[in-house]
Amino acid sequence: MTDIDLPRIMGVVNVTPDSLSDGGRYHDVAAAAAHARALHAAGADIIDVGGESTRPGAARVDADIEQSRVVPVVAALAAEGITVSVDTTRAAVAEAACDNGATIVNDVSAGQADPQMPRLLARNGCRIVLMHRRGESSDMYRHAHYEDVVAEVGAELSAQVTYMREAGVTNEQIIVDPGLGFAKHAEHNWELIARLHELTELRYPLLFGASRKGFLGKALADADGEPRPATERDIATAATSMLAFDAGAWGVRVHDVAATADMRAVWAATRHARRAYEARGAAVL
Ligand code: PMM
């Protein structure tokens, strides 16, 4: 079945020694590029290349180290016709990646970390993922206090959209992301999932990333309360991604692309059947 408006699968490639679930595995260019090709072959529409870990408590790496990790991988993949996003909060890294073929900048600070980011994007026309977070990775749980997490995430994303628009970034460039796990405790993540459709009212494409995150480990804890390890959270991840598709997400950012692609095939077939049924119903009426 071909369906041009299927939600996208963004496959994660962390070229870092210390990311949450795959740190260290793809720490050189050849290994990272090979992994990215495998994800693309498994059904990823976009490959998200990151060179700096964003896990809670992670220390920052130097900009030139980050750039030297991501740019060769971005260049290799883009040269093969693969759509590439670069997971960075730094305008210099984003610029180098876009100059080497990346077409999306995935900024987990939503443009807050680097004042040069909005102007760069206004100039080079790359799409931008504005992800919600509060504080930096090193201190984000201090800011995990919400009266109404969905309303506050929506309002804070809207403010970042305005900030970008004022610098000349166009509506068409913007993608928003609720930032599961970033300055959010488990109950906040679950409420965001339960009410995700409310964020589609922002009228920007919505990216959703629950892949292998800690709140899934907690939900899958064993009888002693020991959280499920990160690499054993992919079935739960696919379940959350399916909920995101149903809520109208534009795409999901995941580590296990093969499982997500299978899930998407099931979801698309079901949607096709629902639409066919509705069309039949309309004809009868
Ligand atoms: N999560 C991580 C990193 N980058 N980007 C977006 N847009 N959304 C996310 O939820 C997100 C992200 C952290 O996960 P990882 O360390 O497993 O890549």
Side-chain angles (χ1 to χ4, degrees), residues 12 14 54 87 106 108 129 131 177 182 207 209 213 253 255:
V12 179
N14 286 316
T54 49
D87 190 342
N106 176 22
V108 300
V129 178
M131 196 203 77
D177 182 330
F182 286 82
L207 181 66
K213 287 187 176 169
R253 178 184 181 278
H255 299 83

Side-chain angles (χ1 to χ4, degrees), residues 11-25:
V12 179
V13 174
N14 286 316
V15 198
T16 58
D18 63 343
S19 267
L20 184 67
S21 66
D22 57 2
R25 286 176 66 190

Side-chain angles (χ1 to χ4, degrees), residues 73-91:
V73 181
V74 168
L77 301 177
E80 293 169 28
I82 296 174
T83 302
V84 182
S85 68
V86 59
D87 190 342
T88 187
T89 61
R90 289 181 167 123

